[in-house]
Structure formats: C-alpha cells, structure tokens
Amino acid sequence: FLFGSKEDDQDAYQNEKPQLVVELPDYYIDTYPVTNRQFCRFLNESKPGRKELEKWINLAGEYGKEKCRIRRNGNVYEIDQEFAHYPVIYVSRHGAAAYAQWAGKLLPTEQQWEKAARGTRGLKYPWGNEWKEGLCNSSESGIDMTTEVSKYPAGKSVYGCCDMAGNVLEWCRDWFDGKYYEKCRKQGRVNNNKGPKKG
C-alpha cells in the first residue's frame, strides 16, 4: 500500500513525506474506536490499583464541553449511559495498550492504522481524495465534542473502519521516529521503486 504523502501534498507535514510503497502481512483491525462502555468493562474486570489507574486514564480529564465519561463509584467504574457508545477519551498510550492486551489484541502500528484509514492507494481521506463536509466529526461540524463512534457511516474507509478521520486521536503501537522511513528501508519493509504488489 502507499504509505505517507506525496511531496506536493501541501496539507501533509514534512515528516509524512515521501510516499513509500510498503508491504504488510495480513491483520485484523477493529471497525470502531474503543467506546466508554468497553473501556469501563475493562476497568471493572482488571481492577487496577490507584497508580495503575492514573497511568491508564485521567478520570478527571475535562476541556471545554468535553470530559471523561467514566467515573469511579467505590470499587466500581460507571459511565454516563448517554455516552456509552462515544469513544473513550483521556486514555494514555499505556491505558490503550493495557486495554488491547486485555481484549486479546494489539494496538495497530502506524502503518497498519494508515492502511486501514487510507486504503492501498494512499487516499487523502478515508472516503477519497476530496474533503466532504458531514463525513466526520471535525471542526467544520461545529459540534466541539466527540460523537458516537457509529455517527458517520458514510465516512468509513474502504475497509469499513469508522472514525479514521475526526472525532478522536488514536494511539498506535510504535512511537514517532524522525528516521522511521530509513529504518523501514533497512528492515526491507519498503521499496520506493516498485508499485503495490497484488495479493
């Protein structure tokens, strides 16, 4: 698949260039971001200690209209029911990784996430190369807070993944590294000279 952005893409950051051809083994990825209900169930079954909990999620997190919708009530975690299907927020990378492990999964790598979001042809947006208002929760929507993870089905990616643009930022397994492309080349994971292979 095409990973990264073309040199003439004025909307892309410099560290997202150049666009490279990358081959990935098969993998599965969730259709929706993790919801408050799912993360609350994880907390209730994991029963983290205070230090572990603070490392995973900021229950007091709040900004503008938005706040963490999970709260602790004694030894039980609860959610505001009207936000059960909204994406969980104020979760750290440690919390995201712990949730994934509990669920029998892994956080996606940056490449896995990007392929699921942009398809094999390196689309600019999950739905295509042209911006279309109303296909994701962005500043243009004027909502100023998160929305249900299933609110924008028309904005899903070619693989059927929702909220790959807008709504929330999502954690990946690997950390950003300015020399990432060079590392990929050395590991034989990219090839600038060939187009995508069929398979």
Side-chain angles (χ1 to χ4, degrees):
F1 81 105
L2 295 176
F3 175 60
S5 300
K6 295 177 181 176
E7 290 290 352
D8 61 354
D9 187 342
Q10 296 180 357
D11 294 327
Y13 293 107
Q14 199 56 41
N15 58 29
E16 296 172 334
K17 303 172 184 179
Q19 193 168 64
L20 305 170
V21 176
V22 175
E23 290 187 42
L24 289 178
D26 291 343
Y27 64 97
Y28 289 96
I29 193 163
D30 286 352
T31 303
Y32 302 103
V34 176
T35 64
N36 287 312
R37 173 174 285 167
Q38 290 170 310
F39 202 85
C40 190
R41 181 177 168 216
F42 155 65
L43 292 176
N44 280 317
E45 291 189 14
S46 298
K47 300 185 182 349
R50 184 180 58 81
K51 286 186 179 180
E52 201 169 28
L53 178 67
E54 289 173 359
K55 192 176 175 185
W56 288 352
I57 187 170
N58 178 6
L59 296 180
E62 188 171 351
Y63 182 80
K65 293 181 185 177
E66 200 60 89
K67 65 178 183 176
C68 184
R69 303 296 177 175
I70 299 175
R71 64 187 169 276
R72 188 172 183 171
N73 185 359
N75 292 326
V76 176
Y77 296 91
E78 300 172 340
I79 54 173
D80 297 336
Q81 285 303 316
E82 63 195 281
F83 294 97
H85 298 291
Y86 283 58
V88 64
I89 55 176
Y90 293 103
V91 173
S92 70
R93 183 175 180 275
H94 299 292
Y99 171 86
Q101 183 178 16
W102 168 83
K105 304 174 184 183
L106 291 170
L107 291 178
T109 64
E110 179 186 3
Q111 291 182 350
Q112 289 172 332
W113 188 93
E114 187 167 320
K115 183 177 182 183
R118 300 174 71 188
T120 58
R121 297 178 294 132
L123 298 173
K124 198 165 186 177
Y125 305 103
W127 53 83
N129 286 319
E130 298 298 321
W131 172 255
K132 293 183 181 177
E133 218 170 295
L135 295 186
C136 71
N137 181 14
S138 64
S139 58
E140 290 83 0
S141 70
I143 296 171
D144 293 329
M145 61 182 292
T146 58
T147 54
E148 287 184 299
V149 297
S150 58
K151 183 172 176 67
Y152 296 95
K156 66 185 176 185
S157 75
V158 296
Y159 292 106
C161 298
C162 293
D163 279 358
M164 299 301 271
N167 217 12
V168 289
L169 296 173
E170 300 175 32
W171 287 111
C172 288
R173 190 177 344 149
D174 40 5
W175 287 99
F176 173 75
D177 184 342
K179 298 179 181 177
Y180 186 63
Y181 289 107
E182 189 57 35
K183 285 167 74 176
C184 289
R185 265 193 215 95
K186 287 180 180 176
Q187 294 171 2
R189 292 192 286 159
V190 299
N191 183 334
N192 255 337
N193 303 317
K194 298 179 182 176
K197 291 186 177 179
K198 294 180 180 177

